[in-house]
């Protein structure tokens, strides 16, 4: 909370120094305010309990969690009531090995990055296996530790193929379309990309974890911009993991190594942050992030094995 107040004051002073009180007031009003709402889960293997949750996705009034070390997907209501689970350790259809990224398409199908099986699996809304694609390798359509998944226009599936340091794009049935990236630190290259998200304009946002930055691309993979560097200052990152875009176009990033969440405009301008030092529960260690239609933020917290929900008035 104190940091948010300072951010608002700094923004006001900068805008006023440019000679526009109206501009300052407008910018100040655009900075969102967040509050902790609720949490659920806790460590364990029973239904409703979590062990190393990674990805989280929201569709309507349902929240889906990649319960990674339990090798399953769990479904909850938006208020945290357990509804169903599926998956267990293995290599067969519907079985999982350390799932991480998770997304939901317009048909309500659940898309899961089955990370250590090096493949993507797609399930019905009720958890029934539909199809899978990919296997371990470096060729087009193969993966090495896929992490983040996102759904774009026409149902296209974007995968952060982490250890291959690239983004791969598939149609809704898993047919390869294109890829871009490669290992490096220049624009358009990656060092272990992790979370991935799309916005309403079709742009792709990638958490370039090892380079401690966010990169933005158009739908065909053309580099647009990036922001962030290694560090703990506002706008800097330490091993960021996941990303989500809210209904107002704000970019929410789990800055995992700094044990905080940061929020930016779609152009990469820092707005605010929160951590255990402000509004988050003690021991806060955010990993996965999702946003619902009311701009509520859902965090997969690996330290407490819980899902934590934050609301905004902005």
């Amino acid at each position: 909370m104190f940091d948010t107040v300072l951010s608002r004051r700094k923004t006001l002073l900068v805008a006023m120094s440019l000679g526009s009180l109206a501009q300052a007031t407008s910018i100040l009003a655009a900075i969102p305010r967040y509050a902790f709402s609720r949490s659920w889960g806790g460590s364990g293997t029973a239904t409703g309990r979590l062990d190393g949750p990674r990805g989280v996705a929201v569709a309507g009034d349902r929240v889906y969690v990649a319960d990674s070390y339990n090798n399953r997907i769990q479904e909850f209501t938006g208020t945290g009531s357990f509804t169903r689970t599926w998956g267990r350790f293995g290599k067969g259809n519907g079985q999982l090995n350390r799932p991480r990224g998770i997304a939901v398409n317009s048909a309500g199908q659940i898309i899961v990055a089955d990370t250590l099986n090096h493949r993507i699996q797609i399930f019905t809304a009720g958890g029934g296996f539909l199809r899978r694609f990919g296997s371990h390798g470096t060729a087009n359509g193969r993966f090495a530790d896929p992490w983040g998944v996102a759904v774009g226009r026409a149902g296209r599936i974007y995968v952060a193929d982490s250890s291959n340091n690239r983004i791969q794009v598939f149609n809704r049935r898993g047919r390869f379309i294109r890829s871009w990236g490669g290992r490096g630190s220049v624009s358009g290259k990656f060092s272990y990309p992790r979370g991935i998200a799309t916005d309403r304009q079709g742009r792709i946002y990638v958490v370039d974890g090892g380079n401690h930055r966010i990169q933005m691309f158009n739908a065909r993979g053309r580099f647009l911009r990036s922001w962030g560097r290694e560090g703990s200052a506002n706008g800097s990152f330490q091993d960021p993991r996941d990303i989500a875009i809210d209904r107002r176009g704000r970019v929410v990033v789990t800055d995992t190594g700094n044990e905080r969440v940061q929020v930016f405009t779609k152009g990469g301008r820092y707005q605010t942050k929160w951590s255990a030092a402000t509004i988050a529960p003690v021991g806060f260690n955010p990993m996965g992030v999702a946003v619902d239609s009311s701009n509520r933020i859902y965090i997969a917290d690996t330290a407490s094995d819980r899902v934590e929900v934050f609301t905004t008035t902005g």
Side-chain angles (χ1 to χ4, degrees), residues 5-231:
V5 171
L6 289 179
S7 178
R8 288 171 175 268
R9 288 178 177 173
K10 181 178 180 181
T11 301
L12 180 63
L13 290 172
V14 169
M16 289 181 67
S17 71
L18 297 177
S20 173
L21 180 59
Q23 180 186 16
T25 303
S26 176
I27 293 174
L28 196 61
I31 298 176
R33 300 187 184 200
Y34 293 90
F36 175 74
S37 175
R38 63 172 61 90
S39 68
W40 67 81
S43 301
T45 59
T47 55
R49 296 281 181 171
L50 302 166
D51 188 3
R54 292 299 193 266
V56 59
V58 181
D61 64 347
R62 291 293 183 265
V63 180
Y64 300 90
V65 181
D67 186 10
S68 189
Y69 292 169
N70 282 326
N71 295 297
R72 65 187 178 186
I73 305 302
Q74 294 205 66
E75 178 191 286
F76 302 87
T77 67
T79 56
S81 296
F82 170 81
T83 50
R84 64 170 58 90
T85 184
W86 68 88
R88 59 186 175 86
F89 177 75
K91 297 182 179 180
N93 292 341
Q95 296 177 339
L96 300 164
N97 189 355
R98 297 293 192 268
R100 288 177 180 157
I102 188 168
V104 184
N105 66 18
S106 61
Q109 296 168 345
I110 316 303
I111 303 164
V112 178
D114 186 9
T115 301
L116 296 190
N117 280 327
H118 311 286
R119 64 187 181 185
I120 303 299
Q121 295 202 65
I122 303 179
F123 301 87
T124 67
F129 173 81
L130 286 174
R131 69 184 64 92
R132 71 185 193 190
F133 58 92
S135 59
H136 196 197
T138 59
N140 291 339
R142 293 179 180 265
F143 302 107
D145 306 315
W147 189 293
V149 290
V151 178
R153 291 178 172 176
R156 288 176 178 162
I157 301 170
Y158 293 82
V159 181
D161 186 10
S162 190
S163 292
N164 281 329
N165 293 294
R166 64 186 178 186
I167 304 303
Q168 295 201 68
V169 188
F170 302 84
N171 70 12
R172 66 178 68 233
R173 296 192 64 84
R175 182 178 178 179
F176 174 81
I177 298 174
R178 69 175 61 91
S179 69
W180 70 85
R183 186 169 179 80
S185 58
V186 299
S187 297
K189 299 293 185 180
F190 300 108
S191 177
Y192 300 105
R194 292 178 175 128
I196 188 168
T198 62
D199 68 15
R200 293 183 176 184
Q201 290 71 43
R203 293 174 294 226
I204 315 302
Y205 299 74
V206 180
V207 177
D208 187 8
N211 284 323
H212 311 283
R213 65 185 178 185
I214 306 302
Q215 295 201 67
M216 183 198 297
F217 302 86
N218 71 9
R220 299 186 64 85
R222 181 172 64 86
F223 173 80
L224 298 175
R225 65 172 58 93
S226 69
W227 68 88
R229 62 171 64 182
E230 185 174 8

